[in-house]
């Protein structure tokens, strides 16, 4: 009888423990369900708010562009009114009733002369940023864990871009150059605003397609372990058409068939990782070397594939952001500088019979590349941030690219007088009101999800 009494007592104690465990488990389940339900609700309203802010920014930028007088104060007032009217109209839609109830009437409208960085000024034109901040939505299940409100915010930047011609097959590799306005950002230390030969943003250009010294040679793609001047995790690759290796390879092979409207991208996202394989597999098709899943029918070799492999170039090191280029065999000239004798340069390319006789077809001028030139000051993270693009330039591919660790890309820039026919440039200057333009949305450099 004593055992039976003890057994009954033990079961009652265990039942009490089970009640506590079930209560804790139910709270955990409710919290997880709340995260899913309230998280989805928050994301839906975030999308709706972003759409409203986008429309508001476009309206404000349109109002700025249509304002008849060069009067920033008056233009700002008209733009602010247009932004608020458009934003309010969007919140009045039936699906946005929650946002309407949460909106307190405080819509931030800012103006700037530049996109990156966007610097709000009292007399700035023509770019506008609209911010709707901390609209508090009521929580549902998250209230069981003490969260009563879900703040949602959004921002958008809009302004004019010139309606110019397009540039096609821009390679997703960033060449480092200096800003033409203040001549401060450069990895070559020779960007002189008074030097007529500096029109490639720091890259040597003396209207001579001959390589006379190693200074005429540029390395535009760094390999793993060589150091990086763009930022941690980045090797000068851009996500112009996509971040994945396949997108990089297709763009470098020239099969992406993508075109960019000049002025559309004053900023470009970085593509992380070395991607040595896709880089070599794409570019090497231009020299008739096929090492990856690229069909020669889609990416035929250039009509001229000559280069002297015995005079191969290598990247010795990167000093203060400047690549030091040497010959693989270590050969130097009489002055002890790296020898350039025997290198198949752009002059040799132009003098070749296939080119000189007027090449045509898909294989014509495939070694002439179009590159974005931008800011490589190293103040951005290779994992997420954008880099600023100043202009585009023409680049001749000197040799094939190693698909292993040494995946540097060597070549030489050439000018308009030497055959560069790239149309237009990327610019950060405001669009001339007398030219044709259109109003578009830009990425807000201060917001990761605009």
């Amino acid at each position: 009888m004593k055992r039976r009494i003890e057994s009954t007592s033990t079961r009652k104690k265990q039942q009490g423990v089970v009640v506590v465990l079930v209560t804790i488990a139910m709270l955990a389940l409710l919290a997880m369900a709340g995260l899913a339900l309230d998280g989805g609700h928050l994301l839906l309203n975030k999308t709706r708010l972003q759409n409203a802010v986008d429309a508001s920014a476009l309206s404000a930028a349109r109002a700025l562009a249509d304002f008849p007088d060069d009067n920033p104060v008056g233009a700002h007032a008209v733009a602010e009114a247009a932004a608020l009217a458009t934003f309010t109209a969007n919140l009045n839609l039936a699906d946005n009733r929650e946002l309407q109830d949460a909106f307190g009437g405080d819509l931030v409208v800012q103006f700037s002369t530049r996109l990156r960085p966007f610097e709000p000024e009292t007399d700035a034109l023509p770019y506008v940023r609209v911010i709707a901040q901390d609209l508090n939505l009521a929580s549902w299940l998250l209230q069981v864990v003490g969260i009563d409100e879900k703040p949602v915010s959004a921002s958008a930047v809009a302004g004019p871009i010139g309606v110019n011609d397009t540039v096609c097959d821009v390679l997703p590799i960033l060449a480092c150059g200096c800003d033409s306005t203040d001549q401060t950002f450069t990895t070559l230390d020779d960007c002189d605003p008074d030097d007529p030969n500096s029109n490639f943003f720091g890259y040597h250009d003396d209207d001579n397609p001959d390589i006379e010294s190693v200074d005429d040679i540029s390395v535009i793609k760094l390999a793993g372990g060589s150091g990086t001047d763009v930022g941690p995790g980045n090797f000068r690759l851009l996500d112009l058409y996509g971040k994945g290796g396949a997108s990089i390879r297709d763009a470098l092979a020239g099969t992406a068939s993508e075109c960019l409207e000049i002025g559309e991208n004053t900023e470009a996202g970085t593509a992380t990782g070395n991607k040595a394989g896709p880089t070599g597999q794409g570019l090497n098709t231009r020299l008739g070397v096929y090492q990856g899943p690229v069909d020669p029918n889609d990416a035929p070799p250039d009509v001229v594939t000559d280069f002297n492999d015995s005079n191969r170039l290598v990247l010795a090191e990167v000093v203060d952001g400047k690549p030091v280029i040497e010959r693989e065999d270590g050969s130097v000239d009489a002055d002890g500088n790296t020898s350039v004798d025997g290198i198949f340069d752009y002059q040799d390319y132009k003098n070749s019979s296939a080119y000189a006789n007027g090449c045509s077809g898909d294989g014509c001028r495939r070694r002439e590349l179009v590159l974005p030139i931008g800011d490589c000051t190293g103040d951005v993270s290779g994992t997420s941030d954008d880099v600023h693009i100043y202009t585009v330039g023409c680049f001749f591919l000197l040799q094939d690219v190693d698909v292993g660790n040494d995946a540097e890309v060597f070549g030489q820039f050439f000018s308009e007088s030497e055959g560069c026919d790239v149309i237009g440039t990327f610019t950060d200057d405001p669009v001339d009101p007398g030219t044709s333009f259109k109003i578009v949305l830009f990425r807000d450099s201060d917001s990761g999800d605009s």
Side-chain angles (χ1 to χ4, degrees):
M1 179 64 66
K2 185 177 180 181
R3 279 183 200 166
R4 192 173 299 166
I5 293 173
E6 288 177 350
S7 176
T8 302
S9 175
T10 302
R11 283 198 298 270
K12 288 182 177 179
K13 291 179 179 178
Q14 289 175 343
Q15 288 175 351
V17 173
V18 169
V19 171
V20 174
L21 292 176
V22 169
T23 302
I24 295 174
M26 286 297 294
L27 287 173
L29 288 172
L30 285 172
M32 293 176 62
L35 285 174
L37 185 61
D38 282 285
H41 177 245
L42 182 67
L43 180 61
L44 174 63
N45 280 282
K46 164 65 178 174
T47 301
R48 290 171 174 170
L49 182 62
Q50 187 65 59
N51 290 337
V53 170
D54 287 348
S56 181
L58 288 170
S59 294
R62 180 74 264 176
L64 284 181
D66 288 341
F67 196 75
D69 301 322
D70 186 16
N71 177 5
V73 176
H76 287 185
V78 172
E80 289 170 353
L84 183 59
T86 301
F87 187 75
T88 303
N90 275 271
L91 293 196
N92 285 335
L93 297 175
D95 289 341
N96 294 336
R97 194 56 54 86
E98 280 187 280
L99 294 173
Q100 183 186 44
D101 294 339
F103 179 57
D106 186 15
L107 189 68
V108 179
V109 183
Q110 301 172 335
F111 305 91
S112 175
T113 57
R114 293 172 58 90
L115 286 170
R116 183 180 177 88
F118 191 101
E119 298 176 335
E121 299 176 17
T122 56
D123 58 349
L125 297 172
Y127 303 109
V128 58
R129 175 162 63 191
V130 176
I131 304 172
Q133 194 163 6
D134 294 337
L135 277 68
N136 289 315
L137 306 177
S139 295
W140 297 339
L141 288 180
L142 282 178
Q143 293 184 26
V144 300
V145 292
I147 301 176
D148 297 325
E149 293 181 332
K150 301 173 297 189
V152 59
S153 304
S155 69
V157 173
I161 63 169
V163 181
N164 300 322
D165 291 321
T166 57
V167 176
C168 298
D169 295 326
V170 178
L171 265 64
I173 299 180
L174 178 71
C176 301
C178 60
D179 186 341
S180 63
T181 58
D182 60 23
Q183 313 295 335
T184 56
F185 302 135
T186 178
T187 57
L188 297 183
D189 299 324
D190 63 351
C191 194
D192 183 355
D194 298 322
D195 183 358
N197 297 324
S198 288
N199 62 339
F200 272 92
F201 289 74
Y203 288 96
H204 184 65
D205 171 30
D206 57 3
D207 293 335
N208 183 359
D210 275 320
I211 289 179
E212 298 177 331
S213 73
V214 73
D215 291 333
D216 295 331
I217 302 171
S218 298
V219 56
I220 57 169
K221 165 69 172 67
L222 302 178
S226 63
T228 175
D229 45 8
V230 180
N234 184 276
F235 298 86
R236 298 187 186 172
L237 290 174
L238 302 177
D239 64 340
L240 294 179
Y241 314 113
K243 294 184 179 180
S247 298
I248 296 290
R249 180 179 56 244
D250 292 344
L252 295 177
T255 61
S257 300
E258 297 279 358
C259 298
L260 299 176
E261 188 165 2
I262 300 308
E264 185 176 16
N265 289 306
T266 55
E267 297 175 351
T270 57
T272 58
N274 186 21
K275 294 183 174 62
T279 299
Q281 293 167 2
L283 282 177
N284 289 346
T285 63
R286 300 171 185 268
L287 290 165
V289 180
Y290 297 88
Q291 301 157 297
V294 180
D295 190 336
N297 294 318
D298 297 329
D302 193 284
V303 294
V304 182
T305 58
D306 299 347
F307 70 94
N308 193 337
D309 198 49
S310 62
N311 299 326
R312 195 168 191 83
L313 300 165
V314 296
L315 177 64
E317 58 182 335
V318 178
V319 179
D320 296 330
K322 181 178 180 179
V324 178
I325 301 171
E326 296 180 354
R327 290 272 285 270
E328 188 174 50
D329 59 9
S331 59
V332 296
D333 57 22
D335 297 324
N337 301 314
T338 297
S339 173
V340 295
D341 289 343
I343 293 178
F344 188 88
D345 60 16
Y346 189 56
Q347 183 64 68
D348 297 322
Y349 178 70
K350 295 180 68 175
N351 288 341
S352 63
S353 58
Y355 187 101
N357 292 336
C359 68
S360 61
D362 294 336
C364 183
R365 302 177 66 176
R366 287 256 297 150
R367 290 174 69 175
E368 297 181 3
L369 313 176
V370 180
L371 295 177
I373 302 175
D375 179 4
C376 292
T377 53
D379 59 352
V380 299
S381 167
T383 60
S384 59
D385 291 346
D386 292 344
V387 292
H388 187 80
I389 306 301
Y390 299 125
T391 186
V392 288
C394 293
F395 186 81
F396 172 67
L397 183 64
L398 285 173
Q399 63 185 37
D400 66 348
V401 181
D402 194 327
V403 296
N405 292 327
D406 300 325
E408 295 94 3
V409 179
F410 293 92
Q412 63 183 123
F413 282 89
F414 58 96
S415 68
E416 183 177 356
S417 64
E418 297 164 353
C420 178
D421 57 2
V422 174
I423 302 171
T425 59
F426 294 100
T427 180
D428 196 38
D429 297 327
V431 174
D432 184 351
T435 64
S436 299
F437 65 91
K438 65 180 179 180
I439 301 298
V440 300
L441 289 169
F442 298 94
R443 180 180 296 179
D444 185 354
S445 58
D446 295 331
S447 173
D449 56 358
S450 69

